Amino acid sequence: MLRKLTLMAIIALVASAFILSSVVAQEAEKKEDAKEFGFIGHKKCKICHKTEHTSWSETVHAKAWEALKPEEQKKAECVGCHSTGKDADGELLTGVQCEACHGPGSEYKSQKIMKDKELSLANGLIEPTKEVCVTCHNEKSPTFKGFEFEKAVKDVKAIHAKKEAEKK
């Protein structure tokens, strides 16, 4: 009887160890799969996207931080839409920079990844949609006067086209 109990206890311990190691391996795999996307800031985007950067720098998005009063720059509800986030060094990226609309660029910034749209999307690139824009352009803003996504897209494309033509 004692042998059976001992054998059953050993089997239970081995099974428990196997299950525990399996759970630990699954958690490690999840952590490896779950990429931590981080912001890199508009200056790094500018390296490859000069025309877009130049046209963006003249927009209200680029100047969004400066539009806030000093006391508003301390309010989370204002900071969330008038800045992009913090970079790896913890520095606040002021203004509505590239990554505010296109997602944190730490994992898709390389030219190799950027050349492959699917790979870019898998590594955090976001194609701005109306849903992305209305996270800030909505009734919660004290200056909200409505938002027309299609018009906004046309305006952005026109600004980029103008800068591209000036470059030539």
Side-chain angles (χ1 to χ4, degrees):
M1 179 75 168
L2 186 58
R3 279 190 190 174
K4 282 186 180 181
L5 286 175
T6 305
L7 183 58
M8 288 173 63
I10 291 171
I11 291 171
L13 283 171
V14 169
S16 296
F18 177 76
I19 291 169
L20 181 61
S21 67
S22 177
V23 168
V24 169
Q26 286 175 354
E27 288 304 311
E29 191 175 309
K30 280 183 194 175
K31 285 181 184 174
E32 194 173 300
D33 287 347
K35 292 184 176 121
E36 296 259 345
F37 300 126
F39 293 108
I40 59 172
H42 70 92
K43 291 175 185 169
K44 291 190 177 142
C45 300
K46 177 183 178 181
I47 294 168
C48 297
H49 301 284
K50 290 177 181 84
T51 302
E52 293 84 352
H53 185 274
T54 301
S55 59
W56 163 81
S57 66
E58 297 174 9
T59 66
V60 293
H61 277 148
K63 298 168 181 75
W65 185 255
E66 289 79 24
L68 293 175
K69 295 174 186 160
E71 62 271 12
E72 292 172 324
Q73 292 178 350
K74 296 174 184 161
K75 294 181 177 179
E77 63 269 21
C78 298
V79 172
C81 287
H82 287 259
S83 70
T84 298
K86 292 185 178 181
D87 66 12
D89 296 326
E91 183 179 333
L92 183 66
L93 302 172
T94 58
V96 181
Q97 298 185 18
C98 317
E99 297 167 286
C101 303
H102 295 286
S106 64
E107 300 300 316
Y108 67 80
K109 67 183 176 189
S110 77
Q111 191 172 21
K112 178 183 175 188
I113 292 175
M114 286 296 290
K115 285 184 174 186
D116 182 333
K117 186 175 182 177
E118 293 299 317
L119 192 54
S120 297
L121 293 168
N123 282 282
L125 177 69
I126 295 171
E127 292 186 298
T129 61
K130 183 176 182 177
E131 290 70 33
V132 171
C133 298
V134 298
T135 60
C136 289
H137 294 278
N138 62 48
E139 298 81 14
K140 292 179 185 175
S141 169
T143 60
F144 183 71
K145 295 178 178 92
F147 180 70
E148 297 176 44
F149 177 72
E150 291 77 18
K151 181 183 180 313
V153 169
K154 285 180 187 174
D155 290 348
V156 168
K157 287 182 179 180
I159 291 168
H160 289 327
K162 179 182 173 192
K163 284 297 169 191
E164 192 65 43
E166 287 174 5
K167 192 170 84 171
K168 292 178 183 178

